[in-house]
Amino acid sequence: MIKGYAGRVLEVDLSRQEFAFADLDEETARLYIGGKGYGTRLLYDRTAAGIDPLGPENLLIFATGPLNGSVAPQSNRFAVVCKSPLTGGIGNATCGGSFALGMKKAGIDVLVVSGAAPQPVRLEIQGDRDEVRFLDARELWGRGTYDTQKELGKKLYHAVIGPAGENRVLYAGIVSNERIAGRTGVGAVMGSKQLKAVSVGGSRKLDMEDPEKFKAYTKEVRKLFADHPVLGESMKRFGTGAIVNTTNGRNILPTRNFQRGHFDEAVKISGEWVEDHELKGVKTSCIHCPVTCGRDVEVEGKGRVKGPEYETLALLGSNLEIGDIKRVAEWNYHADDLGMDTISLGATLGFAMELHERGMLDVPLSFGSAAGVTEMILDIGHRRGLGDDLADGTMRMSEKYGGKEFAMHVKGLELSAYDPRGSFAQGVEYATTNRGGCHVQGASMYMESTGPLTINPQNLKLKADIPIVQQNLACAINSMVLCIFTTYGMIPKAVHEMRPDSFAHRALVKIFENSGPIFRTVMGLKGNPMMWFEKWLTYITGTKFSAGHLQEIGARIFNLERMYNLREGVTGASDTLPPRILNEPTFDHMDSGHPLPELLPSYYAKRGWDARGVPAPRTLEKLQVRL
Amino acid sequence: MSVTVELTYDMGKELGEHRFELEGVETVAEAVSRARERFGDKAEAFDQLGRLAAVAVNGVLASHRRGAKTRLADGDTVSFVKAAAGG
Ligand code: SF4
């Protein structure tokens, strides 16, 4: 077995209450690494086209990669892959916390859950004894994720759902510690299988090719992270909320259901504000991560709980025109405890508010008012009253009540908190990302509008290239499985420390902006490992990984996801943006919205796809994507 | 003519206000210099904390328009923006 892998896949059939261990397929691991890549390959091969995402025939795949189980910073994530009940296409999400470590300690790379239990169950997996117990979970059914994990104790590592997953809220997630695999409704799939929790543990150690080099180099990386302006300073001090004032200043902070990109009260929901006014006690992190981007806040009646991340601050804050951090923190707590994605939740609430404002829906929710929001969140999690409709997300709400022109989703997945009208590459990424409108499948905005390289985010230069490179890289990162925030460290400290008006900075930006095809060519070069994750992979597995290798593997995963979507009827016609984003300007120099129609053909061509967004046979062949 | 100025969080915290109005400024250069003057003794802190911030007008970096010469209109928002990463 390749070093870095435990070498085992655990298959669990909930319908029959049976399990079996199988060997990890080395060829698949070489081609797809692990995590999201390996999971996507399994889903494609093992499920028939057109299955019901909430039926027993859907698979729920928990997958780790070769970096998990090591002490490399940010190597704590696992990927969950399944058919998405929200989009009908590929569903996936990654999650921090500690569950990935538990899987590797148990000697399991991938856990494949099939079937559905006749009544609520939980799994207890003791890797050292090759034992899987199917335990009655009726007592836990209905309980929140905080309470459930407390009840399960600290001996094993857990992944659990809350009432939202049980009730098949289409954007329910899976929780490990205080982190959530939030997007695409993976929690609803777990709920449909009546699986409340998976607990796993063991005492195996990761076998590496070159542990000495790995150890010495990891020490260096820790220093590099500590000294980095993003990973060691702003995210460490202020969490992901450090970006609120930046997106607000760049007019891309979703406000009033994306009617605007600027919120006058943004400062009061920013990470810095939380640090100065609300932060209680220690900052928190996923296991083995020195970045500690989590932060605790005090929520009345609940004590010290995890504070909201940027996406939550924006979607439940500015997007609803709420500048009160205490309310946002309270709603975040309820969403976490119910186990649901705050991005889709906030977008759906914003959509409901606009429907109400336009007289299209009789709901007690209004922009700028906190009244009724807590109750609605609880109703959504329990699918009560109108909450039952909101639990289906924005796309289905717009099919039922109208308002498709301001329903903020792509492929059914609600948009994240970067308005693409001020970040054109991010818009292309939203439109083309296989799982739908999400930012962590590339984070192109960092390369054009929020990071230190201040290229013009509103012209057409590089706007089809950046998403390709970033999506490929994200596919690879999500397959190792590493936290995607690691990519924020890739722009070196020296660039961050340049004055934006200095000659050197302006020259660098010009060169980058005008690099054209050279940008992708350079990123595709197969040389020696340069970045920390390339070196870690190399030292752990014994196979050389460089930027070019990761671009190729990432492209392979991305194309396989695309083929899965096409097979399920999610075609290139859904590579679009909400009509509001395409048609309504939010900048005074714009006549219209995002210029997607001008960029999409170029993106397709550069991907090696035809005009309908279908990968050409030679593209698939070159990437070794077997169908 | 009135424009709104928004400072970075660090600047606002040190200088005592995050957001204020300026009357009668016509260009980005004037807005920056009037904002600096506003803080009198603390002008050095203004320079130091604003060192790594870019200036945007209604969300568009001045460097993508006419730089310091970019003309302002009534109701514009001039923001000092730092590079940042979120999630
Ligand atoms: S950067 Fe934040 S989210 Fe990522 S692993 Fe570290 S603590 Fe977790």
Side-chain angles (χ1 to χ4, degrees), chain A residues 74 76-77 179 285-286 289 291-293 483 485:
Chain A
Q74 302 178 311
N76 44 57
R77 292 185 99 78
R179 300 282 169 174
S285 86
C286 308
C289 184
V291 179
T292 54
C293 77
C483 173
F485 296 163

Side-chain angles (χ1 to χ4, degrees), chain B:
Chain B
M1 192 182 81
S2 168
V3 300
T4 303
V5 176
E6 290 182 340
L7 302 179
T8 66
Y9 187 87
D10 286 351
M11 292 169 88
K13 187 176 166 185
E14 178 65 28
L15 303 170
E17 53 186 345
H18 291 286
R19 192 179 147 87
F20 50 87
E21 308 287 317
L22 287 178
E23 298 292 332
V25 287
E26 302 208 334
T27 63
V28 165
E30 279 175 42
V32 172
S33 116
R34 285 273 303 283
R36 186 176 185 277
E37 280 165 22
R38 182 182 180 93
F39 297 108
D41 292 353
K42 290 187 169 176
E44 258 182 49
F46 180 93
D47 292 340
Q48 186 53 30
L49 292 167
R51 200 175 67 89
L52 296 179
V55 177
V57 180
N58 301 332
V60 178
L61 292 190
S63 58
H64 300 146
R65 290 190 172 178
R66 298 195 58 229
K69 292 184 195 147
T70 304
R71 295 204 71 77
L72 300 174
D74 192 35
D76 278 354
T77 300
V78 176
S79 311
F80 286 75
V81 195
K82 277 194 322 191

Side-chain angles (χ1 to χ4, degrees), chain A residues 335-372:
Chain A
D336 281 351
D337 196 41
L338 290 162
M340 57 185 168
D341 172 24
T342 50
I343 302 177
S344 288
L345 173 67
T348 307
L349 287 166
F351 181 64
M353 286 178 180
E354 189 160 349
L355 283 176
H356 172 68
E357 187 175 71
R358 291 169 180 251
M360 297 162 75
L361 179 68
D362 185 15
V363 61
L365 296 171
S366 302
F367 289 118
S369 165

Side-chain angles (χ1 to χ4, degrees), chain A residues 80-277:
Chain A
V80 187
V81 181
C82 57
K83 181 172 181 178
S84 165
L86 191 61
T87 70
I90 189 76
N92 59 54
T94 65
C95 181
S98 57
F99 185 74
L101 177 65
M103 280 182 68
K104 287 306 264 292
K105 277 175 169 255
I108 299 164
D109 295 304
V110 181
L111 163 64
V112 183
V113 181
S114 59
Q119 63 182 40
V121 291
R122 66 184 182 89
L123 295 175
E124 218 174 79
I125 303 164
Q126 296 282 359
D128 292 350
R129 299 199 292 272
D130 294 351
E131 179 185 276
V132 178
R133 295 168 69 203
F134 297 79
L135 300 167
D136 190 338
R138 280 176 296 180
E139 285 280 297
L140 288 174
W141 207 248
R143 286 160 77 171
T145 62
Y146 280 99
D147 195 25
T148 300
Q149 292 186 90
K150 203 167 155 203
E151 184 72 30
L152 293 173
K154 293 204 163 155
K155 281 197 185 133
L156 297 172
Y157 302 90
H158 314 293
V160 308
I161 56 168
E166 296 168 12
N167 294 313
R168 305 175 195 196
V169 172
L170 295 187
Y171 42 88
I174 298 173
V175 172
S176 166
N177 300 0
E178 292 175 323
R179 300 282 169 174
I180 181 165
R183 308 235 68 191
T184 70
V186 294
V189 174
M190 189 154 159
S192 74
K193 297 188 175 302
Q194 302 229 61
L195 179 59
K196 179 68 181 176
V198 181
S199 306
V200 64
S203 60
R204 296 190 197 207
K205 296 231 169 351
L206 191 72
D207 192 15
M208 297 182 190
E209 185 67 28
D210 196 336
E212 291 312 313
K213 267 196 184 152
F214 174 84
K215 202 171 148 197
Y217 181 62
T218 300
K219 240 185 187 174
E220 273 177 46
V221 176
R222 283 185 176 269
K223 277 195 212 134
L224 191 129
F225 275 25
D227 199 36
H228 192 272
V230 172
L231 300 179
E233 171 68 16
S234 88
M235 282 184 84
K236 198 177 181 76
R237 278 183 67 201
F238 309 121
T240 54
I243 203 174
V244 168
N245 292 313
T246 301
T247 51
N248 197 44
R250 299 299 296 265
N251 199 32
I252 58 172
L253 177 70
T255 303
R256 213 177 164 85
N257 193 33
F258 286 81
Q259 289 178 38
R260 295 196 298 271
H262 184 271
F263 181 45
D264 287 352
E265 294 177 58
V267 75
K268 289 198 252 158
I269 53 166
S270 67
E272 294 95 324
W273 183 278
V274 174
E275 167 90 5
D276 280 350
H277 297 84

